[in-house]
Structures are given as structure tokens and as C-alpha cells.
Amino acid sequence: MATNTQEQQSQAGRHQEVGHKSLLQSDALYQYILETSVYPKEPEPMKELRELTAKHPWNLMTTSADEGQFLNMLLKLINAKNTMEIGVYTGYSLLATALALPNDGKILAMDINRENYELGLPVIQKAGVAHKIDFREGPAMPVLDQLVEDEKNHGSFDFIFVDADKDNYQNYHKRLIELVKVGGLIGYDNTLWNGSVVAPPDTPLRKYVRYYRDFVLELNKALAIDPRIEICMLPVGDGITLCRRLK
């Protein structure tokens, strides 16, 4: 029989998967979800990119496998065709999106680091979906401002996914709400922020978690009272809030 120490070590070492950010209290339950629902249905290109990203020193930045599966199905359900992604990293969520879109679908993808994107690009190309992606290197705000200036872009996006600098989420929202169509969706990632949104003020937190927590809290408050949207906060991955534009 395993000792308590052995069991704890086993649990602690169980999840080496890239993007493991599950908020479930039971690690075994998360493993069950992965093995029963996610991995058996995960497209081979997504598996390849997930395993490639796992070797990157910043692999925690990626979208988790269960969230990738969720995004892929969501985009199919809403018949998305014109989408945007702010914050790409190596492109796991981008690939999930590209695989879900029709052949003539488009993704405007923005990230400040092209090198990370190019790490996953060969997998995306091999999957035959690279033609759907318009990648822009650099800050997203100038691109968004340019899009907003032209009224033909207003209401032109079916789905927008944001997984970038949390201190700019509200600035993004001011612009994105004009660009997404009525009935379209904006997804903000990391809105439960490692569970820190309910942590007492004196809780020991990693420096970056503590720094961005207040920005996440302010975003969550702002989305909850925004009359232009209805929202649904889901404990998938590190928390994702879906905003459906009403007007």
C-alpha cells in the first residue's frame, strides 16, 4: 500500500501536461476528463503542437487541452467564419480555431512575439490551415484602433479570443465590442486567474499572479455590469468568460 507521502508525490507529479491550469479540486478528476473526453478526440495536429509546446520554457502560457477542445466545438456551434485572436504564443488555441473554421474562414491573429508563433507554424502548415491565418507581430492596440476607424469593420467578427496582457483587457474590450457582431462572442481567458480572484489579500502569490490579479478583478466587475453583453464565466482551463453582444 502506498504511503501518504508517496500518494502526494504521485499526485504532484501527475500533471506535466502543457497548460495544466485546472481549477478542479481533484487532480484525478481533471485527469479523467482529459483521458475520457479530450485526448481520444484531440486532432493529431493539436496533439503534436501541444507536445511541442510542452518543451518550451514558458509552456504554462498555452491554452490547456480541455479549453482547446471547448473552443473548437464552440466555433463550430456558432458557425464562426471571421475571427480574431489576441495573444497567440505557439498557436494551440489558434490551431483549434483554424481547424473549426470553414476553408474560407479567416483569423486575424496578433502577438508581440513572432518567434513563438513560428515554433508552432510548421504544425499549422502541415494541418493545411495556415491560409486561414493573418498573423500580425506587435501590440494589438494600434491594429484595433485602425480597425475601429473604418466603419466597415464594425460588427464584422463572429468570434474574438483574448489571451494576452491582462492589464489591457478593458482597453481591448472598449474596441472589441464595436468589432464583434451583434450575437457574436468575445472570449476572455484567465478570468479566474489561478483561483486568486477569491484569495484573501495576505495570501502568498507568485509575483506575476499578484500583479495581474487586480486587473482581472476589475475586468470581471466591468463585464458583469456592461449592458451591451450577456456573459457566462466558465471554470475551464484558468477560467474563460464568454461575452455575447446584445446591441
Side-chain angles (χ1 to χ4, degrees), residues 89 133 178-179 185:
Y89 186 42
I133 300 168
E178 295 189 47
L179 297 173
L185 295 175

Side-chain angles (χ1 to χ4, degrees), residues 182-202:
V182 173
L185 295 175
I186 306 171
Y188 290 104
D189 203 19
N190 306 113
T191 52
L192 295 178
W193 200 230
N194 289 246
S196 67
V197 290
V198 294
D202 58 349

Side-chain angles (χ1 to χ4, degrees), residues 56-101:
H56 194 281
W58 303 338
N59 60 40
L60 191 64
M61 289 172 55
T62 195
T63 301
S64 61
D66 54 324
E67 187 172 3
Q69 182 187 56
F70 169 73
L71 291 172
N72 183 268
M73 180 175 285
L74 177 65
L75 287 156
K76 293 171 182 173
L77 289 170
I78 66 172
N79 295 312
K81 186 172 181 179
N82 190 38
T83 72
M84 183 192 303
E85 181 160 332
I86 302 175
V88 171
Y89 186 42
T90 62
Y92 186 77
S93 57
L94 184 62
L95 179 56
T97 299
L99 289 170
L101 297 184

Side-chain angles (χ1 to χ4, degrees), residues 85 87-88 108-118 133-143:
E85 181 160 332
V88 171
L108 174 59
M110 292 170 273
D111 199 288
I112 59 172
N113 190 320
R114 177 178 287 274
E115 184 178 347
N116 289 335
Y117 167 65
E118 290 183 344
I133 300 168
D134 175 11
F135 179 82
R136 312 278 185 92
E137 182 180 23
M141 208 69 72
V143 179

Side-chain angles (χ1 to χ4, degrees), residues 23 63-64 66-68 70-71 74 93 159-163 169 185-193 219-220 223 231-243:
L23 296 163
T63 301
S64 61
D66 54 324
E67 187 172 3
F70 169 73
L71 291 172
L74 177 65
S93 57
F159 179 78
I160 301 171
F161 183 59
V162 185
D163 183 10
Y169 270 27
L185 295 175
I186 306 171
Y188 290 104
D189 203 19
N190 306 113
T191 52
L192 295 178
W193 200 230
L219 171 78
N220 291 341
L223 295 180
I231 66 172
C232 179
M233 181 182 284
L234 300 169
V236 177
D238 193 29
I240 178 172
T241 299
L242 296 178
C243 308

Side-chain angles (χ1 to χ4, degrees), residues 119-147:
L119 183 67
L121 184 56
V123 180
I124 294 171
Q125 291 171 330
K126 187 167 65 173
V129 293
H131 67 282
K132 301 178 185 179
I133 300 168
D134 175 11
F135 179 82
R136 312 278 185 92
E137 182 180 23
M141 208 69 72
V143 179
L144 296 179
D145 285 337
Q146 187 176 20
L147 288 171

